[in-house]
Amino acid sequence: MTLLTFRFAPSPNGDLHLGHAYSALLNKKLADVHGGRTLLRIEDIDTTRCTPQFEAGMLADLEWLGFGWEQPVRRQSEHFAQYGAVLDRLIREELVYPAFMSRGEIRAFIADSEKRGRDWPRDPDGVPLYPPADKALPMKERKQRIADNAPFAWRLDVAAATARTGKDLAWSEFTDETLSATHPVEARPQDWGDVIVARRDIPTSYHLAVVVDDALQRISHVVRGQDLFSATSVQRLLQQLLGLPQPAYFHHRLILGPDGRKLSKSLRDTGLAALRDAGASPEDVRRMVGL
Ligand code: GLU
């Protein structure tokens, strides 16, 4: 039997809160129950928002909490060349295209289209889908704009991608925290439109780095918050395009704040460091998150 492998993959762009504590401790508990491995991955590709200070704070909080993890820790910012090689493959296979529209241009395009009575489609997060214009740009024009240093992002041509993989994509989702049963979930990557898979200066995005790393680290079980449930559709498509193995997924409940809203990294009172300073113990945190 292959070893089950779990991971907790925070982004060091703020302080860990109770929601992260639940996710980390649930991964740890499942790994322990199933005799599996627990990995920590630092998802710091956004070099403008992630800082070494936040990372140090996270490591200290996780240590305090008793989240034991294997060394070495994979830090995504140290592997841009690896993601770049995967991106090159997607470029060669014409599954991505350079998208040049700025946020302002996208807004104007959509406002114009909606003025003419057409509701513009939105992704599961409520963000308008990327307009189709750049996909139709002739190769010569694309090359010229890139040579002229125009800002752009690499976007997945989701129509070309799903034509390649076929439409029947699904993933296995566990039905509850005990991981005793799974059910198939239909992947709907088209709901996200042509998502960004890399930037001009950073040869990856969250989606690309996650699927590359989950495969490289042989993650068998992705246990993460319900807020990433819909994103799994895009990741499943990328796995299929790249011929990567598929982990099974469990998207767990979210820990909500007193106002019933999702916790954020800026909410001080549910931050782990603040709780610790106020005298809470790791056992208190476990109780607070229901573990
Ligand atoms: N880095 C992501 C976050 O902090 C989590 C990614 C994942 O678990 O797939 O929200």
Side-chain angles (χ1 to χ4, degrees):
M1 208 184 100
T2 49
L3 204 52
L4 303 196
T5 305
F6 296 80
R7 89 308 195 264
F8 176 57
S11 297
N13 55 11
D15 297 319
L16 294 185
H17 54 58
L18 282 176
H20 298 107
Y22 173 60
S23 203
L25 292 172
L26 178 59
N27 271 286
K28 172 87 182 128
K29 176 178 154 186
L30 290 170
D32 289 350
V33 167
H34 296 280
R37 304 172 64 199
T38 313
L39 305 185
L40 174 66
R41 182 162 80 221
I42 302 290
E43 301 209 325
D44 59 348
I45 58 169
D46 184 348
T47 47
T48 58
R49 294 173 63 223
C50 296
T51 68
Q53 289 75 13
F54 282 135
E55 184 186 315
M58 282 186 166
L59 295 177
D61 287 345
L62 290 171
E63 183 97 51
W64 172 76
L65 207 54
F67 173 76
W69 63 92
E70 285 183 24
Q71 298 294 339
V73 168
R74 185 171 170 90
R75 195 173 285 106
Q76 292 187 325
S77 61
E78 292 169 355
H79 300 284
F80 284 147
Q82 234 164 0
Y83 308 127
V86 178
L87 172 65
D88 284 343
R89 185 171 148 200
L90 294 172
I91 295 173
R92 263 197 322 274
E93 297 186 16
E94 296 185 17
L95 292 167
V96 294
Y97 63 89
F100 298 99
M101 287 172 88
S102 66
R103 276 194 206 152
E105 285 169 335
I106 299 173
R107 250 195 318 272
F109 180 96
I110 290 164
D112 189 53
S113 152
E114 294 198 325
K115 240 187 345 238
R116 282 182 275 116
R118 182 170 168 215
D119 274 346
W120 195 261
R122 283 161 203 268
D123 72 20
D125 286 344
V127 176
L129 302 196
Y130 191 74
D134 287 338
K135 213 165 82 171
L137 277 184
M139 194 57 89
K140 203 168 146 220
E141 168 89 21
R142 286 183 189 175
K143 289 201 167 133
Q144 188 58 51
R145 289 205 200 180
I146 293 175
D148 291 344
N149 255 334
F152 71 93
W154 291 104
R155 284 187 180 262
L156 183 69
D157 183 340
V158 75
T162 48
R164 170 82 68 92
T165 61
K167 282 220 180 335
D168 313 325
L169 273 185
W171 76 83
S172 282
E173 176 81 23
F174 286 100
T175 47
D176 67 33
E177 239 181 68
T178 64
L179 305 188
S180 46
T182 60
H183 64 104
V185 177
E186 181 202 354
R188 300 186 47 85
Q190 64 279 11
D191 290 355
W192 291 93
D194 292 349
V195 290
I196 291 180
V197 290
R199 312 251 168 206
R200 189 178 58 171
D201 308 318
I202 299 180
T204 187
S205 64
Y206 159 60
H207 291 303
L208 191 63
V210 160
V211 297
V212 168
D213 285 358
D214 284 340
L216 251 160
Q217 296 189 292
R218 298 172 190 274
I219 303 299
S220 59
H221 291 61
V222 172
V223 175
R224 60 185 178 190
Q226 185 65 33
D227 50 340
L228 289 170
F229 183 87
S230 302
T232 310
S233 282
V234 176
Q235 295 170 21
R236 186 62 201 90
L237 176 62
L238 287 172
Q239 286 160 357
Q240 191 72 12
L241 285 175
L242 296 167
L244 301 175
Q246 316 165 35
Y249 290 84
F250 177 56
H251 292 92
H252 59 66
R253 65 187 161 87
L254 298 179
I255 305 291
L256 302 177
D259 56 357
R261 302 211 351 226
K262 202 180 126 182
L263 299 181
S264 85
K265 283 182 174 135
S266 54
L267 280 175
R268 290 295 296 145
D269 50 340
T270 48
L272 295 186
L275 287 165
R276 186 175 51 198
D277 289 347
S281 68
E283 290 66 40
D284 294 330
V285 170
R286 277 171 203 272
R287 241 190 327 271
M288 289 168 87
V289 300
L291 275 176

